[in-house]
Amino acid sequence: MSMRVSWARWCWIVIFTTCTARTASDWLDCAHIATCRCKWSSGKKTATCASGDLRRPPTLSSDIQVLDLHDNPLRNLPQEVFFNIGLLNLQRLNLRATKLRSIHADAFLQLRILIEVDLADNDLAILPRDIFRGNERLRLVVLSNNPLTILLADQFPPLPHLRMLLLDGCRLRTIHTNALRNLKSLETIDLRRNQLTYLRLITFSLPALKTMSLSGNPWRCDCRLREFKDWFLESKLGTEELVCAEPSAQSGNKWRHVPSEVMTCPPEVKSSTLVIRAEVGVAAMFGCWVHGIPKPKVTWLFDGVDLNNSSVDCDMEETDSIIEDDNIEERVPGSVRWVNITLFNVTASAAGEWTCVAKSVAGESRAVISLVLPRSQTATARTAPGIPQLLGVVFGALGALAALGFIAAVGCWHLRKRSVPPSRSFMDQEKRLIDASVVVSCDRSIADMASPCDFELTERSLSVDEQPRGCAFDPVHITIEGTPGAFPPPPAEFAVPVPYGNIFISVQVAGRGEPAKYPDLLSGGATLPRRTRTCCGAPYDNMGPRVTATGSSTWSLPGATAEEPSETPVLTLPPPPPEFVSL
């Protein structure tokens, strides 16, 4: 029986040893990754893949507990990158100097037993909020030498076991008052060599905090740092000698040598608005925002004169309210207030410049508000005009019309005088030209009448014995203005643009008259200037067509009677309308 028990025990030992050896050989096998070495280190299954050319975490055995990837160009960590390659048993993760620029907020999700993570010496300018969500067992977080400038509110999720947070060598300027409130077990925080000028006491009200490192920051020893400085020196959280960089009066002084009374902030004043538009008889309210430590005294000036000594005639009330707002990171809580003035009954004397002045031992500041009233407008009553005024308007209008009529008449007269040449009366000899005829050479046809040498205006008394003389016609222009009336256009034979010798005739008819009355050729504007007597044809000439006062058209010879036969062919022409008379 005892032999059977011993054999069974040995069998179990062999089986366990074989399984253990098999498992050990699996996680130690890193030959497929040239830059990785797998070994036992400090009792942990460790994979060292440092100083290689890895662009992402390698795929290794799920039994790996420590992974060292420092000095690899990873550049970024995507979502759940370690969970996706099965490294769920990681306890320590070294990502130092891996040129990380961005990390997904869920990059470390599912690493529930992760204890330490080192992200130092990278290019992380922004740290995602809740980046370590799901890593409740974290004890150490190293973020040194990253270009971080701010820690946001609730930057870290609840990490009940986190003991140490290293942020030295970053560029932190601002730490939100609630950035660390979920780190209830934090014991050590390193903030050396940052750009911090002040810290708020409420930010580090952590129950387990034991050590703070703050050297290497440009501390401004004014009212914003006063409360934290007093607490830090009394808490004994650090042994470093911290030095003031600003203001200039305290530059180079150690914290412990700077009295709290001199750590002041000069007053700051901002107006609620630049211009207030008010109305007479209506209430108006305006104010100024004031900050400063010690608490500055606020006074109001009206047009440069203290309000208590001014002549402003209106009821007013001054109120002072403190602003309790934790979101004002750069102001000490309780140091900001509004000082308002209410004018219950605005009068004309209240218009002007109102100045808010804040004074303290640290300095003085002021802001100006202009109160403007609307411009007053005066309405003038209108009365009905009297009879004298109406008469003046009527006679004035009539005089103006008369003057305009006279000016128009003078203008028309000058225009008519310029456009119509003056007329003159006919002499006795000139009147005899009415019986003149147009003489055409017997051997010329009517088509040849266009030659000025074939036309001649002769008198009935011209002697046959006179010798012909050379052609020397002077131009003769005849203008006939008829009695007013509506006349149709002249017939075709009187509209041909061929002059009769040197005589150019134009007919002007205007207005209305008796339609059956013919124009008077001897009155008005009929002008027949004397021409030089010439002869350029045979003594025996055809007189051509002639229009008489009755409107008949005939061919006649000088001195011929009606019974004498004509040696020239007689042209039968259609009679012109009775409205036109031609010479």
Side-chain angles (χ1 to χ4, degrees), residues 414-424 477-481 506 508 524-527:
H414 279 285
L415 183 62
R416 183 179 182 85
K417 183 178 180 182
R418 181 182 303 175
S419 60
V420 179
S423 301
R424 62 187 180 89
H477 298 269
I478 300 176
T479 302
I480 300 175
E481 293 182 358
S506 62
Q508 297 180 1
T527 303

Side-chain angles (χ1 to χ4, degrees), residues 157 211 240 327:
T211 304
E240 304 168 295
N327 293 327

Side-chain angles (χ1 to χ4, degrees), residues 15-215:
I15 293 172
F16 177 77
T17 303
T18 303
C19 293
T20 303
R22 178 69 177 172
T23 305
S25 62
D26 287 343
W27 75 266
L28 289 171
D29 186 9
C30 296
H32 63 286
I33 302 175
T35 58
C36 292
R37 299 291 182 270
C38 295
K39 61 181 180 178
W40 285 95
S41 176
S42 301
K44 303 291 184 180
K45 300 175 183 178
T46 304
T48 303
C49 305
S51 303
D53 192 30
L54 297 176
R55 301 304 175 93
R56 59 176 298 153
T59 301
L60 299 170
S61 173
S62 60
D63 294 328
I64 295 296
Q65 296 173 308
V66 178
L67 179 60
D68 185 359
L69 294 173
H70 77 274
D71 290 330
N72 280 281
L74 296 180
R75 289 185 172 80
N76 64 82
L77 293 179
Q79 182 179 8
E80 299 184 10
V81 57
F82 298 101
F83 173 77
N84 293 335
I85 60 177
L87 299 179
L88 298 179
N89 293 315
L90 285 178
Q91 297 179 14
R92 296 191 179 112
L93 181 59
N94 184 2
L95 297 171
R96 181 184 290 263
T98 52
K99 301 182 180 180
L100 287 174
R101 297 180 181 178
S102 64
I103 300 177
H104 194 278
D106 295 333
F108 304 120
L109 195 64
Q110 305 299 334
L111 302 183
R112 301 192 179 279
I113 60 175
L114 186 64
I115 297 174
E116 298 177 6
V117 60
D118 188 349
L119 295 168
D121 301 323
N122 282 293
D123 299 323
L124 297 173
I126 299 176
L127 194 65
R129 186 181 282 120
D130 290 341
I131 187 175
F132 300 115
R133 181 166 54 91
N135 310 129
E136 287 82 2
R137 295 192 182 185
L138 268 177
R139 296 180 181 178
L140 172 64
V141 174
V142 182
L143 292 166
S144 306
N145 300 317
N146 278 284
L148 297 171
T149 58
I150 185 173
L151 294 182
L152 305 173
D154 296 321
Q155 181 71 75
F156 301 97
L159 299 174
H161 301 288
L162 186 65
R163 300 287 188 269
M164 185 177 293
L165 177 61
L166 305 182
L167 290 163
D168 56 299
C170 296
R171 303 175 188 174
L172 289 173
R173 295 179 179 272
T174 304
I175 299 178
H176 195 277
T177 54
N178 297 327
L180 308 175
R181 66 179 178 181
N182 293 323
L183 307 180
K184 303 298 183 182
S185 300
L186 186 64
E187 297 178 355
T188 301
I189 183 170
D190 190 350
L191 293 171
R192 295 173 298 164
R193 295 178 286 110
N194 280 280
Q195 300 298 318
L196 297 169
T197 57
Y198 70 95
L199 290 173
R200 298 278 298 275
L201 172 59
I202 190 174
T203 306
F204 300 94
S205 298
L206 303 174
L209 189 61
K210 298 178 180 179
T211 304
M212 289 186 68
S213 299
L214 300 174
S215 62

Side-chain angles (χ1 to χ4, degrees), residues 306-323:
D306 192 316
L307 192 59
N308 298 322
N309 301 325
S310 67
S311 59
V312 178
D313 183 18
C314 60
D315 298 330
M316 64 185 70
E317 180 184 9
E318 182 176 347
T319 58
D320 195 330
S321 57
I322 297 176
I323 301 175

